[in-house]
Amino acid sequence: MTKKARTILFGICVFLFALTAPTVILYSQGYLFDFETKKVVQVGGLYFKVAPRSAQVYLNGNLKAPPSLFTSSALIENLLPKMYYVEIKKDGYHSWQKTLEVKERQVTDAKNITLFPQNIGFATTSSPLPKIIVNATSSDGQKVIEADNHEILIYFPKEDKKIFLTRFSETIGKIFWLNDYYLIFNTGDKLKVAEIDDRDRLNIIDIAEFKTPEIFWNTATGKLYILSRKTLFVSENLLP
């Protein structure tokens, strides 16, 4: 290689280094260029904790966190600050969907996601119905159900705030805390599970349908009892 060629090559390398070095440095310090706003911004992230394990996390339709047999959580980093459509899937389960905002230098979390089976088994039982208490307060003592025949609200005593959860045209039956973050109840003949995370859309799923059901949730066993037309049914375990 001639001296002139070496000089040209060296000049090209210096130019490329000068061109890419700021980008590399900015990226290493948590900055990205946002082509939509044409600005350099600090990145954020999303953190999810999902039960059961082995769920897939999609952002705007693209798989970002493949399933893992060993963990129920996923941290997605280096995201531009904007709104993301999130869908969490697992074969044989209802998906969880929500639009969440990522802000600069912050991690937006959804740590209490439960996916429920698409096909829940119910069996008739002749066993006596266990003693079950309807409690308006969640087991962590942080939330209280306030409901009438058609609306459900959640009251947070420590913060002295109340959120409107949902409304139905049909009459709402008994409401139970499935866990500290989900409710189980019936409207008419349909049995429903609803989250209480009111950011964006509310994930409400129909898990079964019985004629004129009276429902009883057994926290100790994780099973749902349904009295329908004088026949008592019991579900398989609903919680992972």
Side-chain angles (χ1 to χ4, degrees), residues 118-191:
Q118 293 174 342
N119 298 300
I120 296 173
F122 289 86
T124 57
T125 178
S126 57
S127 301
L129 187 68
K131 184 179 180 181
I132 296 172
I133 299 173
V134 179
N135 195 341
T137 304
S138 58
S139 62
D140 62 6
Q142 304 295 314
K143 301 166 281 283
V144 180
I145 300 169
E146 294 189 3
D148 58 24
N149 288 336
H150 298 283
E151 294 184 348
I152 303 175
L153 298 92
I154 303 296
Y155 175 61
F156 296 82
K158 284 191 175 181
E159 304 169 48
D160 193 24
K161 77 170 186 178
K162 190 181 298 185
I163 63 169
F164 170 79
L165 210 60
T166 187
R167 188 182 194 284
F168 298 95
S169 57
E170 291 186 282
T171 300
I172 301 170
K174 290 180 180 176
I175 306 174
F176 294 87
W177 285 102
L178 191 66
N179 57 27
D180 289 332
Y181 307 98
Y182 285 83
L183 305 177
I184 189 165
F185 55 94
N186 71 286
T187 58
D189 294 342
K190 293 181 179 179
L191 278 57

Side-chain angles (χ1 to χ4, degrees), residues 58-229:
Y58 290 79
L59 297 188
N60 298 335
N62 299 310
L63 179 62
K64 292 295 183 181
S68 170
L69 295 175
F70 306 105
T71 179
S72 60
S73 61
L75 174 62
I76 304 172
E77 301 178 286
N78 298 319
L79 296 176
L80 290 171
K82 61 179 181 179
M83 305 299 292
Y84 290 87
Y85 175 69
V86 182
E87 187 170 15
I88 298 179
K89 301 179 181 180
K90 181 177 171 67
D91 288 343
Y93 289 78
H94 292 278
S95 64
W96 182 92
Q97 303 162 38
K98 200 175 289 288
T99 299
L100 297 173
E101 182 180 7
V102 171
K103 298 181 179 180
E104 291 188 81
R105 296 176 295 173
Q106 293 184 28
V107 175
T108 301
D109 64 56
K111 297 185 291 186
N112 307 295
I113 300 171
T114 301
L115 303 182
F116 296 92
Q118 293 174 342
N119 298 300
I120 296 173
F122 289 86
T124 57
T125 178
S126 57
S127 301
L129 187 68
K131 184 179 180 181
I132 296 172
I133 299 173
V134 179
N135 195 341
T137 304
S138 58
S139 62
D140 62 6
Q142 304 295 314
K143 301 166 281 283
V144 180
I145 300 169
E146 294 189 3
D148 58 24
N149 288 336
H150 298 283
E151 294 184 348
I152 303 175
L153 298 92
I154 303 296
Y155 175 61
F156 296 82
K158 284 191 175 181
E159 304 169 48
D160 193 24
K161 77 170 186 178
K162 190 181 298 185
I163 63 169
F164 170 79
L165 210 60
T166 187
R167 188 182 194 284
F168 298 95
S169 57
E170 291 186 282
T171 300
I172 301 170
K174 290 180 180 176
I175 306 174
F176 294 87
W177 285 102
L178 191 66
N179 57 27
D180 289 332
Y181 307 98
Y182 285 83
L183 305 177
I184 189 165
F185 55 94
N186 71 286
T187 58
D189 294 342
K190 293 181 179 179
L191 278 57
K192 298 178 179 288
V193 169
E195 65 177 349
I196 64 167
D197 182 351
D198 67 334
R199 292 176 295 180
D200 187 46
R201 57 161 286 172
L202 196 68
N203 284 279
I204 303 177
I205 60 171
D206 294 341
I207 61 168
E209 187 169 347
F210 288 86
K211 290 295 183 182
T212 59
E214 186 176 5
I215 70 171
F216 308 88
W217 171 246
N218 191 328
T219 306
T221 63
K223 295 182 179 181
L224 181 67
Y225 291 81
I226 303 102
L227 185 60
S228 173
R229 293 185 170 180

